[in-house]
């Protein structure tokens, strides 16, 4: 969204959302994203075509909500309050879906036709994804390497990977 004149396709994959570790990981409802000034500016010139597919296909609530709470919650403010009251439930629900989300991301990556993909995500999701793909830290290069496979990135760290999946 920050480079609206850049060539290529922009997609928002809800599977690549943050792993819930705090109420700040509760997302913005899709209807609010569609009306945000940043999104509208990025879509300028595309109004006659409608909003890009990455916004029209996004569910209103695109983050993990525990099943027993999902029907009783309303707007984002209710969601944040529910998280504060049921933090453990949200974390457990998100953790239970993490492997499925990673598999969905891998499948979507297989389906992408473009030769270059830029992905931005949360530390835990990137770690789980790269672990599933068999990528391993080079402990000589990365001082924060763990004893588990996967790339466990520092805040705002960028990596380049060439994958065949």
């Amino acid at each position: 969204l920050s480079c609206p004149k850049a060539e290529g396709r922009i997609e928002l994959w809800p599977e690549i959302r943050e792993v819930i570790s705090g109420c700040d990981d509760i997302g913005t409802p899709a209807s609010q994203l569609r009306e945000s000034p940043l999104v509208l500016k990025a879509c300028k010139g595309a109004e006659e075509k409608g909003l890009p597919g990455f916004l029209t296909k996004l569910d209103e609530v695109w983050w993990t909500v525990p099943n027993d709470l999902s029907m009783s919650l309303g707007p984002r403010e209710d969601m944040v309050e529910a998280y504060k009251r049921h933090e453990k439930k949200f974390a457990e629900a998100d953790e239970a879906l993490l492997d499925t989300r990673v598999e969905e991301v891998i499948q979507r990556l297989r389906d992408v036709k473009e030769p270059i993909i830029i992905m931005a995500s949360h530390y835990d999701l990137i770690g789980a994804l790269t672990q599933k793909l068999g990528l391993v830290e080079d402990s000589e290069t990365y001082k924060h390497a763990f004893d588990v496979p996967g790339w466990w990135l520092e805040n705002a760290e960028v990596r380049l990977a060439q994958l065949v999946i």
Side-chain angles (χ1 to χ4, degrees):
L1 292 177
S2 64
C3 299
K5 294 181 183 177
E7 289 189 32
R9 192 164 41 122
I10 297 173
E11 293 186 359
L12 180 64
W13 294 0
E15 301 88 358
I16 302 179
R17 68 189 176 274
E18 293 193 22
V19 174
I20 294 180
S21 60
C23 62
D24 60 323
D25 297 331
I26 300 296
T28 300
S31 58
Q32 290 178 27
L33 287 175
R34 289 182 193 108
E35 296 172 7
S36 84
L38 177 63
V39 170
L40 294 174
K41 180 179 178 187
C43 298
K44 190 171 180 154
E47 295 91 2
E48 64 278 358
K49 300 176 196 168
L51 287 169
F54 74 92
L55 285 172
T56 58
K57 296 175 187 173
L58 188 63
D59 290 336
E60 182 69 2
V61 175
W62 49 272
W63 55 91
T64 305
V65 178
N67 287 335
D68 62 335
L69 299 176
S70 63
M71 298 307 288
S72 63
L73 298 174
R76 185 177 191 283
E77 292 72 25
D78 290 348
M79 199 69 69
V80 171
E81 289 306 313
Y83 175 84
K84 289 176 184 176
R85 287 191 311 277
H86 305 283
E87 185 174 339
K88 186 175 179 184
K89 279 187 177 186
F90 273 82
E92 288 172 349
D94 207 38
E95 184 64 32
L97 292 174
L98 185 57
D99 195 53
T100 300
R101 282 173 51 197
V102 167
E103 289 294 335
E104 289 171 355
V105 170
I106 291 170
Q107 184 55 53
R108 288 187 77 165
L109 288 170
R110 284 185 183 116
D111 295 341
V112 171
K113 304 294 185 240
E114 288 81 2
I116 297 173
I117 302 168
I118 299 171
M119 180 187 303
S121 187
H122 196 256
Y123 161 94
D124 289 327
L125 191 282
I126 294 292
L129 175 62
T130 55
Q131 184 176 54
K132 183 72 96 178
L133 292 172
L135 298 175
V136 180
E137 293 279 17
D138 172 1
S139 59
E140 296 292 319
T141 306
Y142 300 104
K143 63 184 179 304
H144 55 277
F146 294 100
D147 292 332
V148 295
W151 290 355
W152 304 94
L153 308 180
E154 297 285 343
N155 191 30
E157 184 175 350
V158 175
R159 296 274 183 94
L160 175 65
Q162 195 168 13
L163 302 173
V164 177
I165 52 175

